[in-house]
Amino acid sequence: MSVGVVMLVHTAFDRAEQAARHWAHGGCPVVIHVDEKVTKDRFRAFRQTLADLPDVLFSKRHRCEWGTWGLVAASQDASELMLERFPDVRHVYLSSGSCLPLRPVAELRDYLADRPRTDFIESATTADVPWTVGGLDHERFTLQFPFSWRKHRYLFDKFVDLQRAVGYARRIPAGLTPHMGSQWWCLTRQTLSAILKDPERPRHDRYFRHVWIPDESYFQTLARLYSTQIESRSLTLSKFDFQGKPHIFYDDHLQLLRRSDCFVARKIWPRANRLYEAFLTDPNSAQQRQEPNPGKIDRIFAKAVDRRTRGRPGLYMQSRFPRLGWENGVTAGKYSVFQGFADLFLGFEAWLAKSTGAQVHGHLYAPDRAEFAGRETVVAGALSNNALLRDENPKAFLTNLLWNTRGERQCFQYGPSDNPAVLRHMTLDPNAQISVISGAWAVPLYQSKADFAEIRAEAARLQRIEATMLDELRRPDTKARIRTWTMADFIEAPMEPLQTLIDEIGQKNARRLAEAPRMVDLTGFGQFLQDLKNQGMHPYLMGDFPVDPVPHNRPGTTRKPYLVRK
């Protein structure tokens, strides 16, 4: 024999029994530690199931709680029993009851026999460890942790804060450089004996008894003192998610585990019958001898973590809501927002749909309803045009629309009268392309037959709103593609910006526009703005409009007399 296995067991005893028999039948002695929290009756029953195996022993029991000294004490006592009772063991492999051997035991024995002085233990300094979650890298070695992180999280956090505030720090014993790594190691007899029989062990134990999660640092630190050759990696395949919780392997991970070429994997779902049947049948059958290479499947795990934490672009999931910034993209696809165009051009929506092939809506955030294309009441994904439902969560309304219609370009109108709650969301969205003709909201007022005092009050209100909107669009953290024109600048040469917008959407026609949409009649509009000024309201967002009528040769315009409203 050359390999002895220490197993830490606290649940799923039927699977732990299978694993222990697998190791024993492969020629490996096994020492099992059963958590003291397990009832005596359950412990005796488990022990009895393995009574027919002479090379399976049970060590002194300790109470093992996550992140506490009990896990180290259990490993120490089980390892001491292993070294005492089985003098032929050259390597000791630490595993758990939820670990599953993936390759024949003979291959592991041969692999370690070829490396008689190599310790396989992940061991890195705190400055080089990228996988700790929740802080406490170096501080786990210098602070006190009298409260359980799992059972008394509030007290744990407050006591850490208190120690930081008063500047408390424990002294690290002389000669020790804290290292961290996976709990699951495989150490040579020489290294393990040196750790357990060191005259300084009482001092080391006293210190690490108060370290947070000592099972990931005790052997990892002390192995650096005694080992002559360390390979800083574990022979056990164990993957963790972004929260530091271990991935659980299920039946559908069978081929994934085979591709890893690792000797052992954890953590296995207890009811993964297919995995246990596949790997624990005929334990001494030969396979191709490959170097363990968990990197083969790292890409899959990285993709799984990315999918869990970020998901697909524009898809908001319960596991990430409402954590701002956890989404992989604000929306599912690019979309275009037009402000002022439908006020300035007749039939703009129909013209844009014809020119681009995109789905062109009206004002999706109009006060009374969402103006879907074709004025439908319900669109893809059962989205209703009901304003109350939409305004309950304006952001979700937009993201749902774009998710439900992904693959089809969406365009819609927006203006000062629409719900402003969605504007910030759009400005932070790289998929948004927002085009604004400032001051165009004055055109419907100019065409209305309302009393001029009412027009003036409404113009002042809309201008205040649009000025605020423009300030929002100019914020330095804006990620949307923003284009703004004053109304006066736009109508001087409308063809060029319109062509740019069509090319940007890029859905249907790559050729140059043959003609622009027909512009509304602006004869007398300059005089209308002057009348607003005369009444004490200064319309500045439109740009400089001459009081004289617009020249007759202006593209898309026709003359008509202007009636001054008073």
Side-chain angles (χ1 to χ4, degrees), residues 229-350:
Q229 184 176 348
I230 285 181
E231 282 206 24
S232 185
R233 61 187 176 100
S234 175
L235 297 179
T236 299
L237 174 65
S238 57
K239 294 294 182 179
F240 296 86
D241 63 16
F242 73 106
Q243 293 179 319
K245 298 178 181 178
H247 279 287
I248 297 177
F249 293 101
Y250 300 93
D251 281 338
D252 52 357
H253 292 121
L254 175 60
Q255 297 305 321
L256 185 75
L257 293 175
R258 280 177 171 161
R259 291 209 308 271
S260 73
D261 293 324
C262 291
F263 290 107
V264 179
R266 78 173 305 270
K267 187 173 187 181
I268 309 298
W269 187 46
R271 282 178 274 181
N273 298 324
R274 187 181 175 198
L275 293 184
Y276 280 92
E277 291 172 3
F279 291 110
L280 297 188
T281 301
D282 194 10
N284 295 304
S285 62
Q287 293 184 6
Q288 290 185 350
R289 299 193 176 189
Q290 302 285 341
E291 183 72 19
N293 187 11
K296 288 182 179 180
I297 60 176
D298 280 347
R299 179 183 59 83
I300 298 174
F301 282 93
K303 186 176 181 180
V305 171
D306 184 73
R307 178 60 61 87
R308 179 179 177 187
T309 55
R310 304 186 69 202
R312 287 173 283 178
L315 181 61
Y316 288 71
M317 295 181 63
Q318 181 273 339
S319 60
R320 297 184 298 277
F321 184 83
R323 296 175 174 87
L324 183 64
W326 277 37
E327 301 303 326
N328 181 16
V330 181
T331 51
K334 293 186 179 298
Y335 58 99
S336 298
V337 183
F338 296 92
Q339 181 169 321
F341 287 78
D343 296 326
L344 189 57
F345 294 103
L346 298 172
F348 176 75
E349 296 171 29

Side-chain angles (χ1 to χ4, degrees), residues 3-6 29-31 77-87 89 91-92 189:
V3 185
V5 178
V6 170
V30 180
V31 175
D77 285 349
S79 297
E80 287 179 323
L81 182 59
M82 174 68 72
L83 297 177
E84 176 188 345
R85 297 290 295 273
F86 302 100
V89 165
H91 277 87
V92 176
R189 184 182 193 93

Side-chain angles (χ1 to χ4, degrees), residues 333-534:
K334 293 186 179 298
Y335 58 99
S336 298
V337 183
F338 296 92
Q339 181 169 321
F341 287 78
D343 296 326
L344 189 57
F345 294 103
L346 298 172
F348 176 75
E349 296 171 29
W351 172 84
L352 184 62
K354 181 180 178 181
S355 301
T356 63
Q359 185 81 314
V360 182
H361 305 278
H363 287 260
L364 287 182
Y365 289 90
D368 54 341
R369 71 184 189 282
E371 299 175 355
F372 294 126
R375 299 306 181 259
E376 297 287 343
T377 57
V378 178
V379 296
L383 278 182
S384 169
N385 70 343
N386 185 282
L388 291 177
L389 294 176
R390 176 202 66 198
D391 294 341
E392 181 68 22
N393 193 333
K395 174 182 174 181
F397 176 83
L398 178 59
T399 54
N400 284 338
L401 174 66
L402 296 171
W403 175 260
N404 297 335
T405 58
R406 55 194 183 280
E408 181 182 31
R409 183 62 170 256
Q410 303 295 307
C411 305
F412 62 92
Q413 319 304 313
Y414 190 75
S417 296
D418 296 345
N419 189 331
V422 76
L423 180 61
R424 179 63 177 160
H425 173 65
M426 293 192 298
T427 60
L428 295 176
D429 186 3
N431 283 330
Q433 296 171 342
I434 305 175
S435 304
V436 178
I437 303 175
S438 65
W441 45 264
V443 174
L445 294 179
Y446 163 64
Q447 295 173 325
S448 72
K449 300 183 182 300
D451 182 78
F452 196 76
E454 297 176 2
I455 291 176
R456 178 171 60 87
E458 181 66 5
R461 184 184 73 85
L462 294 176
Q463 182 163 253
R464 286 194 301 271
I465 295 174
E466 187 172 64
T468 301
M469 294 170 62
L470 292 174
D471 289 340
E472 186 73 35
L473 297 178
R474 297 186 186 107
R475 288 180 55 152
D477 58 347
T478 295
K479 294 181 175 61
R481 179 70 179 272
I482 308 293
R483 286 191 175 92
T484 60
W485 302 267
T486 65
M487 185 175 162
D489 289 340
F490 190 91
I491 66 175
E492 283 293 331
M495 293 293 284
E496 182 177 350
L498 286 174
Q499 181 68 56
T500 300
L501 296 176
I502 296 300
D503 293 341
E504 189 176 66
I505 295 174
Q507 290 288 108
K508 186 176 180 182
N509 295 327
R511 62 180 184 274
R512 300 292 296 177
L513 285 175
E515 60 181 15
R518 184 177 172 220
M519 193 180 297
V520 300
D521 187 356
L522 294 176
T523 304
F525 186 72
Q527 183 61 51
F528 168 70
L529 297 181
Q530 183 61 47
D531 287 345
L532 288 176
K533 294 179 182 179
N534 296 341

